[in-house]
Amino acid sequence: MTKRKPIKKAVFPVAGLGTRFLPATKVIPKEMLPVIDRPLIQYAVDEAREAGIEQMIFVTGRGKTAIVEHFDVAFELETMMSERGKDLSILEPTRAVPGDIITVRQQVPLGLGHAIWCARAIVGDDPFAIFLPDELMIGSPGCMKQMVEAYNEVGGNLISVLEIPREEVSSYGVIDPGEENGALTVVKGLVEKPPVEQAPSNKIISGRYILQPEVMRTLENQEKGAGGEIQLTDAMARMIGSQPFHAVTFEGRRFDCGSKTGFIEATIALALEREDMGAEIRAITERLLGR
Ligand code: G1P
């Protein structure tokens, strides 16, 4: 196995307005909505840490400071809890190592590609990960850890993919798949939000990426793509051929927390599995269903 430059940085685009969850997201960033008792952003950050990532780069915008506060030390809260003899371990994953949370701003919502490009100075010349926190990935190991393991084998660029019903592909980035080898598929092409009849497959990009820093140069003079936005998918597509590009089929479950129904599904699924409440939630659900 060749020694690869390790993935130590991750970019989290969190500048989106979250209009699909209004009025809940009028003041609260959508990334702070909790699935049970953990905000969505924390699932992504925990997944990053599990994969060995240290620097978390948030691409934020107006009204998003709660995300950064969440990973700070809440001094008054902790003091009060210690004085009352309460266990502080629940807060442990929210205390970032000093200096490991970095924010950059995306002042205007010009698209996902533009959001990632806003982090170019922090990413520098290192390969880096991207997490779209709307996509909640539950696996053991987590999605990014599975990808880092694949990256250590093949290097280059990797995206996580999953298969969905063909009629739904036009909401996503879709891959043109080449040769398959276990969980790895060679990516021959990528297209953002194609009409169903033009989609090269039903394998969609599911919100996790490991990319080489050259993508920032590609994004530099990127034209607008699907939906009039600067698309990350278009920049990645331009790198195919000059750098290795693979898709990893994630072994685990994915919840689309960008939609209300997906969010509720995630909440129910994870609650049913929790040791502290699973049995109770099952009983409640069955009662509600009249069983
Ligand atoms: C983005 C990406 C798309 C990907 C999707 C996953 O789209 O552009 O390629 O499949 O996330 O959720 P968005 O949901 O921001 O429109």
Side-chain angles (χ1 to χ4, degrees):
M1 195 172 74
T2 334
K3 188 97 188 84
R4 313 273 173 202
K5 210 168 177 185
I7 311 297
K8 293 288 170 198
K9 299 177 179 177
V11 179
F12 301 78
V14 293
L17 296 175
T19 48
R20 279 199 271 177
F21 283 87
L22 282 170
T25 47
K26 186 178 168 190
V27 180
I28 298 168
K30 71 169 172 180
E31 297 79 8
M32 289 304 293
L33 297 177
V35 174
I36 311 177
D37 47 15
R38 255 204 288 177
L40 215 40
I41 187 67
Q42 202 191 317
Y43 287 89
V45 167
D46 290 348
E47 185 189 324
R49 284 212 193 96
E50 183 208 11
I53 291 166
E54 291 167 1
Q55 268 186 10
M56 313 295 165
I57 307 161
F58 295 134
V59 182
T60 68
R62 286 164 59 81
K64 296 284 186 160
T65 44
I67 297 174
V68 183
E69 293 272 327
H70 181 73
F71 293 99
D72 201 347
V73 175
F75 182 72
E76 302 86 341
L77 175 69
E78 294 201 4
T79 309
M80 199 190 292
M81 283 174 72
S82 319
E83 279 170 11
R84 294 183 185 171
K86 291 206 190 299
D87 182 13
L88 291 176
S89 61
I90 191 82
L91 292 173
E92 194 55 49
T94 69
R95 284 196 219 99
V97 174
D100 274 0
I101 297 279
I102 296 148
T103 64
V104 295
R105 303 277 279 209
Q106 183 192 27
Q107 293 96 331
V108 194
L110 296 177
L112 177 60
H114 179 259
I116 301 304
W117 179 76
C118 290
R120 67 201 178 283
I122 316 292
V123 165
D125 289 327
D126 296 318
F128 64 107
I130 300 172
F131 289 76
L132 308 189
D134 273 2
E135 299 279 352
L136 177 52
M137 309 294 259
I138 303 290
S140 179
C143 184
M144 187 51 71
K145 189 154 189 209
Q146 292 180 25
M147 291 176 72
V148 165
E149 279 162 14
Y151 169 79
N152 289 336
E153 297 292 329
V154 294
N157 303 273
L158 289 123
I159 47 178
S160 67
V161 293
L162 51 92
E163 290 189 43
I164 62 162
R166 220 186 153 82
E167 57 277 15
E168 293 170 21
V169 293
S170 36
S171 304
Y172 298 97
V174 182
I175 72 161
D176 182 4
E179 203 182 312
E180 276 184 41
N181 181 5
L184 278 175
T185 306
V186 171
V187 177
K188 290 196 300 183
L190 287 163
V191 44
E192 182 68 15
K193 303 192 173 74
V196 175
E197 57 288 357
Q198 283 168 31
S201 75
N202 66 338
K203 288 189 172 184
I204 60 144
I205 308 173
S206 67
R208 300 291 183 271
Y209 310 71
I210 291 177
L211 298 178
Q212 296 299 317
E214 286 76 22
V215 73
M216 294 298 191
R217 256 76 81 200
T218 314
L219 281 166
E220 198 100 35
N221 32 46
Q222 178 83 30
E223 312 254 308
K224 287 180 179 163
E229 297 190 341
I230 298 173
Q231 296 289 355
L232 178 61
T233 303
D234 296 344
M236 295 191 301
R238 286 165 65 192
M239 290 165 74
I240 295 171
S242 56
Q243 290 191 351
F245 222 112
H246 289 90
V248 180
T249 304
F250 167 54
E251 213 178 288
R253 283 172 307 159
R254 166 254 187 183
F255 300 100
D256 175 12
C257 289
S259 84
K260 285 178 226 183
T261 48
F263 203 98
I264 293 165
E265 183 192 357
T267 306
I268 298 171
L270 299 189
L272 284 170
E273 285 165 18
R274 285 262 296 241
E275 258 177 42
D276 59 342
M277 64 176 79
E280 204 178 332
I281 297 297
R282 184 169 302 280
I284 291 170
T285 315
E286 284 174 0
R287 194 174 70 229
L288 289 172
L289 292 171
R291 290 196 185 141

